[in-house]
Amino acid sequence: MRPVSERATVRYTESEGLADALHGADVLFVYDFTSTAVPGAWPSADRLRWVHVGATGVDSVMFDELIASEVVVTNTRGLFDAPIAEYVLAQLLNFAKDLPRSWRLQQEHDWHHRESERLSGATVLVVGTGSIGRAIARLLRCVGMEVRGLGRRARTGDPDFGTVGTDLHAELPGADYVVAVAPLTPQTRHLFDARAFAAMKPHARFVNVGRGELVVTDDLVAALRTGSIAGAALDVVDPEPLPPGHALWDLPNVQLTPHNSGDVIGWRRDLVTVFTENFRKWIDGRPLENVVDKRLGYVPT
């Protein structure tokens, strides 16, 4: 943070001290994107002009008072694109090659020959056409998958997705894999419910690297238990962290990771670098990068 401290007074605080630290501040860097402290501390934001969120998703700060204000919001768009795309590819390979079962058989010293599936030629629907969704689409195309996108605006000839649709329930029946990477907004909350899972193929797998609240968790559990879908890889869940005893821990067709799909070695340093580079622009009066459309809840592509 030296580039910042050389040109500004820097205050560090935990969530419980945010209200006091926010008084008189021009800029707020929400390093912990999981914090829900900003709405409660908002009355102390008497000089605030810019909020930067250390994540791609900005749902933690999208409350009515901030949306209606003139405060600019930016995010860390771009930093996690490649790591999350690699994670999605790894999970799809995990399903197609049944690697968890191979590991279990090795532990049992069981030389059990079996066949696996191909990713090449399979169809994947990427729900969310922002920068992370595009990185996922490009990587999955490299292994021969047929990629489609789902976004707010229908189009053909997209350089990454080919075809982008807008009707989730019309797109789901054609997908072998469904990847959720949409931002969490009022329109996308609980997008994946019982109706959505019923529309998927019985052999389809679901991957969520967006937000847990995109999914009605009980409906997902029911779909996995009944065989309505074949499996799920979840880097995000609702609730998060997943409490002990929750059904998702023990379902045999579920792969869980603790919201770390984008957290490769060095990510904390890079997170600060993104902010400090934007801070230089802000202090010099230049346009900021990654400005969020507060009405949409994300950076428009």
Side-chain angles (χ1 to χ4, degrees), residues 39-276:
W42 185 251
S44 296
D46 52 350
R47 283 183 48 178
L48 196 63
R49 291 188 282 162
W50 170 32
V51 174
H52 179 80
V53 181
T56 304
V58 296
D59 45 279
S60 64
V61 301
M62 285 295 103
F63 54 97
D64 291 344
E65 292 82 359
L66 188 148
I67 293 172
S69 74
E70 295 184 359
V71 175
V72 175
V73 177
T74 60
N75 70 357
T76 316
R77 183 176 184 265
L79 180 61
F80 301 108
D81 294 5
I84 293 178
E86 292 171 359
Y87 171 94
V88 170
L89 175 58
Q91 289 290 12
L92 267 56
L93 286 167
N94 226 9
F95 284 126
K97 304 308 174 186
D98 199 9
L99 298 180
R101 187 181 179 198
S102 295
W103 173 246
R104 291 194 297 271
L105 290 171
Q106 179 181 340
Q107 301 309 297
E108 298 167 3
H109 298 189
D110 185 353
W111 191 269
H112 180 74
H113 180 271
R114 64 196 194 285
E115 298 174 342
S116 64
E117 303 170 21
R118 296 181 61 179
L119 284 186
S120 177
T123 299
V124 57
L125 175 67
V126 180
V127 180
T129 56
S131 63
I132 297 176
R134 290 186 175 279
I136 292 169
R138 289 192 295 269
L139 189 57
L140 298 185
R141 283 185 180 278
C142 288
V143 296
M145 298 192 76
E146 299 292 331
V147 180
R148 293 179 64 90
L150 187 104
R152 295 178 68 249
R153 182 172 57 86
R155 53 196 180 274
T156 58
D158 186 277
D160 298 317
F161 297 101
T163 299
V164 177
T166 59
D167 185 341
L168 176 68
H169 298 96
E171 296 288 344
L172 287 173
D176 302 302
Y177 296 90
V178 178
V179 179
V181 69
L184 180 61
T185 68
Q187 292 72 37
T188 62
R189 185 179 296 274
H190 293 167
L191 184 66
F192 291 93
D193 56 9
R195 181 185 171 206
F197 293 121
M200 293 170 62
K201 296 178 179 179
H203 70 256
R205 278 73 168 237
F206 175 70
V207 180
N208 191 1
V209 289
R211 286 287 187 266
E213 294 89 343
L214 297 175
V215 177
V216 179
T217 303
D218 289 346
D219 291 354
L220 173 59
V221 170
L224 290 163
R225 281 176 165 165
T226 62
S228 179
I229 63 173
L234 308 172
D235 186 54
V236 289
V237 292
D238 181 27
E240 192 172 302
L242 196 64
H246 196 282
L248 288 174
W249 283 115
D250 297 312
L251 285 172
N253 49 353
V254 172
Q255 300 293 320
L256 291 171
T257 52
H259 205 147
N260 65 346
S261 60
D263 298 347
V264 295
I265 295 169
W267 73 275
R268 291 180 175 85
R269 177 196 64 240
D270 295 340
L271 199 71
V272 174
T273 298
V274 170
F275 170 69
T276 57

